[in-house]
Amino acid sequence: MRSYRSFSGPEEAAHVLAKELKTLSLTREESHVVLSGGSTPRLWFEILAQPPYSQAIRWQNLHFWWGDERCVAPADKESNYGEAKRILFDHIAIPAAHIHPIRGENEPEKEAERLSAEIVALVPRMEMAAGQRSLPVFDWILLGMGADGHTASLFPQETDFNEERLAVVARHPQTGQARISLSALQLASCKRLSFLVLGADKAERVSEIFSHPAESLPYPAARITALHGPTEWLLDAASASKLPDTASALD
């Protein structure tokens, strides 16, 4: 099931997400949150880094992970972790051990294995039905989506949705840049899955995802929704502008 909330613009969406992160930090003593990379969460990070959220959130109750990372050093301007550190983590009181970056400077295959081991060691598993594989379950995974329907570093026509590893090495289909990404199965293994999608260039893809069965589409953003189950989409007016009348909106 795909439901959406539509906001007037990125700032309204970012403030809502900030309030919800604060609530999560106040209601549980330990929560594991996966962040998206790219430019989409930048405004959210800026809001979190300032009062009231920088002081009101119980940062010691939160662990932060990433859905993917470019294979670059943290100081590189393309590093998802590096940007989050500069905008957010350098400005809040959070235990260093609660930040779990993907080490893009490491050899990719070995780093994917190291990341998988860290997730297994620290992220709780949930009881599964008989015959189902047990995976670590994050409390909240927040993803973005590209105009081509990719999410994290899982790209159309290049993603194995049955991949059993928790983390994989991928390459950008245009640039060939190496990246490390959580697998589709791991991204779908969470209590809450949210897609924050902003901009008119995403409107056509959003409409297609909401008007077709997810299993019939090649887009990782759609297919992960199918793997997870009920999923919320947080949209601005531009990205929601072509949604079909049958789309389901959250109150």
Side-chain angles (χ1 to χ4, degrees), residues 13-141:
H15 276 286
V16 168
L17 289 174
K19 292 177 182 177
E20 293 179 356
L21 186 66
K22 173 186 171 183
T23 298
L24 181 63
S25 78
L26 297 176
T27 54
R28 298 197 60 197
E29 292 185 358
E30 181 178 276
S31 293
H32 292 267
V33 179
V34 175
L35 303 173
S36 67
S39 60
T40 300
R42 187 176 298 150
L43 180 58
W44 186 42
F45 293 162
E46 291 173 354
I47 290 171
L48 290 172
Q50 303 173 43
Y53 298 108
S54 60
Q55 299 170 356
I57 290 174
R58 291 181 183 169
W59 298 105
Q60 70 273 19
N61 290 348
L62 301 173
H63 286 255
F64 289 99
W65 305 75
W66 277 261
D68 72 322
E69 181 60 274
R70 301 174 177 93
C71 291
V72 297
D76 192 291
K77 65 180 181 180
E78 290 198 329
S79 169
N80 291 332
Y81 162 67
E83 177 161 272
K85 180 178 183 297
R86 289 189 296 273
I87 298 174
L88 175 59
F89 295 121
D90 284 348
H91 307 282
I92 60 174
I94 184 171
H98 287 206
I99 303 172
H100 307 276
I102 301 173
R103 300 173 187 171
E105 68 273 26
N106 289 354
E107 194 282 322
E109 292 289 352
K110 291 182 179 178
E111 175 57 16
E113 293 176 3
R114 186 209 63 80
L115 173 63
S116 298
E118 185 177 11
I119 292 171
V120 168
L122 297 178
V123 179
R125 295 171 182 258
M126 289 184 65
E127 291 296 326
M128 307 295 288
Q132 291 186 349
R133 181 188 175 199
S134 176
L135 292 172
V137 176
F138 289 95
D139 293 281
W140 187 13
I141 294 182

Side-chain angles (χ1 to χ4, degrees), residues 33 95 101 104 182 191 202 219 233 246:
V33 179
L182 297 186
K191 296 177 182 177
K202 317 288 179 62
Y219 313 127
W233 290 67
T246 55

Side-chain angles (χ1 to χ4, degrees), residues 186-233:
Q186 182 60 81
L187 287 172
S189 181
C190 57
K191 296 177 182 177
R192 177 184 179 188
L193 178 60
S194 304
F195 282 88
L196 175 62
V197 181
L198 308 173
D201 62 324
K202 317 288 179 62
E204 191 68 39
R205 197 65 63 233
V206 168
S207 176
E208 192 174 357
I209 288 172
F210 270 80
S211 59
H212 293 79
E215 297 85 349
S216 70
L217 299 172
Y219 313 127
R223 297 288 292 277
I224 289 170
T225 296
L227 288 170
H228 178 264
T231 303
E232 63 179 352
W233 290 67

Side-chain angles (χ1 to χ4, degrees), residues 167-186:
V168 297
V169 177
R171 290 192 178 274
H172 191 282
Q174 277 76 52
T175 67
Q177 182 189 55
R179 301 182 176 192
I180 298 163
S181 179
L182 297 186
S183 67
L185 288 178
Q186 182 60 81

Side-chain angles (χ1 to χ4, degrees), residues 151-162:
T151 191
S153 282
L154 304 181
F155 297 95
Q157 313 298 344
E158 300 186 15
T159 298
D160 180 358
F161 297 101
N162 296 311

